[in-house]
């Protein structure tokens, strides 16, 4: 296994870069890819920046230029369910691009000409990640929705929840990585710590969370994942 680890922001991957042994950094397409050994796993860490295009580009380059065989996305998300609280972890079983809507040509949320609305994560990778996360905090498994919008109004999250009743979390990259990995045949998983409730307080909660606790989670969970 050569593991690609993507996060959008530096705070979401803090501690991992320091833990990487024999690191070698290469810049490609305006991003720094750092290869090395992470608790005896051959790994490449990279920050995608925010959004679906940025994440898709990063995932494709990880596979095509850096030869990764598996990808994990680790970061924070807004809650998409009343049972999912700030500080909990959501590990995706499937992901949907919530801003994809080519209706009436294709059903809402379907990625045109793939026939797919939801992209399933790799079962083995997801099980291993969920088991590692359970050592840190409460873990939920299910649907994550991604779109090029920060969900920061109650009205927005309510509308999404109505359209996707089994939704657990919202973020801005996971489903893009999912599509790239599906098309390239790469097993992948997505893990998100809940930073906010995707409501009117989301922006303030998000900033507070990434500055205080986000980093601890990534380091702890990925360490347990690698050692398993
Ligand atoms: N990532 C963390 N919180 C988020 C939110 N409320 N909307 C979109 N992405 C997020």
């Amino acid at each position: 296994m050569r593991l690609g680890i993507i996060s959008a922001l530096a705070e979401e991957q803090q501690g991992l870069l320091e833990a990487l042994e024999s690191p070698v950094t290469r810049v490609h397409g305006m991003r720094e890819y750092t290869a090395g050994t992470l608790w005896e796993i051959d790994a490449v860490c990279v920050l995608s920046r925010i959004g679906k295009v940025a994440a898709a580009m990063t995932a494709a380059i990880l596979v095509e230029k850096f030869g990764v065989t598996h990808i994990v996305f680790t970061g924070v998300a807004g809650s998409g369910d009343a049972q999912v609280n700030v500080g909990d972890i959501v590990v995706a079983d499937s992901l949907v691009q919530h801003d994809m809507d080519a209706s009436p040509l294709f059903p809402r949320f379907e990625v045109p000409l793939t026939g797919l609305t939801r992209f399933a994560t790799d079962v083995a990778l997801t099980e291993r990640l969920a088991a590692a996360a359970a050592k840190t905090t409460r873990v939920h498994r299910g649907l994550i929705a991604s779109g090029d919008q920060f969900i920061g109004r109650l009205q927005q999250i309510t509308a999404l929840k109505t359209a996707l009743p089994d939704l657990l979390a919202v973020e801005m990259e996971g489903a893009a990585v999912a599509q790239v990995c599906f098309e390239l045949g790469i097993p992948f998983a997505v893990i998100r710590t809940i930073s906010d409730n995707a409501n009117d307080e989301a922006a303030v909660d998000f900033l507070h969370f990434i500055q205080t606790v986000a980093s601890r989670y990534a380091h702890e969970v990925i360490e347990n994942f690698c050692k398993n």
Side-chain angles (χ1 to χ4, degrees):
M1 169 156 84
R2 184 165 165 86
L3 180 66
I5 302 178
I6 315 176
S7 303
L9 302 171
E11 290 87 348
E12 295 171 311
Q13 218 174 80
Q14 220 173 290
L16 281 187
L17 223 48
E18 290 79 0
L20 207 59
E21 288 171 45
S22 319
V24 177
T25 300
R26 248 174 76 198
V27 175
H28 185 87
M30 302 186 179
R31 288 181 185 82
E32 289 185 1
Y33 294 79
T34 306
T37 305
L38 209 48
W39 298 288
E40 294 178 12
I41 286 187
D42 185 20
V44 184
C45 293
V46 58
L47 302 178
S48 60
R49 303 194 299 272
I50 294 172
K52 300 209 310 295
V53 173
M57 165 84 172
T58 308
I61 296 298
L62 268 176
V63 176
E64 296 299 328
K65 286 256 173 212
F66 293 90
V68 307
T69 58
H70 298 70
I71 289 181
V72 167
F73 195 109
T74 174
V76 299
S79 171
D81 189 273
Q83 305 301 313
V84 177
N85 300 311
V86 171
D88 290 358
I89 281 178
V90 175
V91 179
D93 284 326
S94 65
L95 297 106
V96 58
Q97 296 174 29
H98 70 69
D99 52 358
M100 174 60 76
D101 188 357
S103 62
L105 304 180
F106 297 90
R108 186 180 178 195
F109 302 129
E110 185 171 309
V111 177
L113 307 176
T114 64
L116 290 175
T117 295
R118 297 176 179 208
F119 292 87
T121 59
D122 179 70
V123 173
L125 211 53
T126 296
E127 295 285 350
R128 184 169 165 185
L129 206 49
K135 293 183 180 170
T136 295
T137 187
R138 195 154 80 113
V139 178
H140 308 264
R141 291 269 296 269
L143 179 67
I144 293 182
S146 316
D148 287 325
Q149 286 152 12
F150 184 81
I151 308 298
R153 279 182 292 119
L154 183 60
Q155 195 190 335
Q156 281 175 296
I157 191 64
T158 306
L160 276 179
K161 187 70 177 170
T162 304
L164 300 164
D166 55 337
L167 179 67
L168 294 186
V170 289
E171 37 88 314
M172 303 179 70
E173 298 84 18
V177 172
Q179 185 180 341
V180 168
C181 288
F182 167 73
E183 293 181 4
L184 294 177
I186 294 290
F188 76 99
V190 176
I191 178 166
R192 294 284 186 170
T193 308
I194 300 302
S195 57
D196 60 86
N197 288 314
N199 58 11
D200 298 334
E201 284 83 50
V204 171
D205 293 346
F206 168 82
L207 288 170
H208 176 72
F209 194 88
I210 59 162
Q211 285 160 11
T212 54
V213 266
S215 56
R216 207 191 74 221
Y217 277 80
H219 184 279
E220 224 171 84
V221 173
I222 298 295
E223 179 171 356
N224 278 322
F225 170 86
C226 290
K227 286 178 172 173
N228 257 349

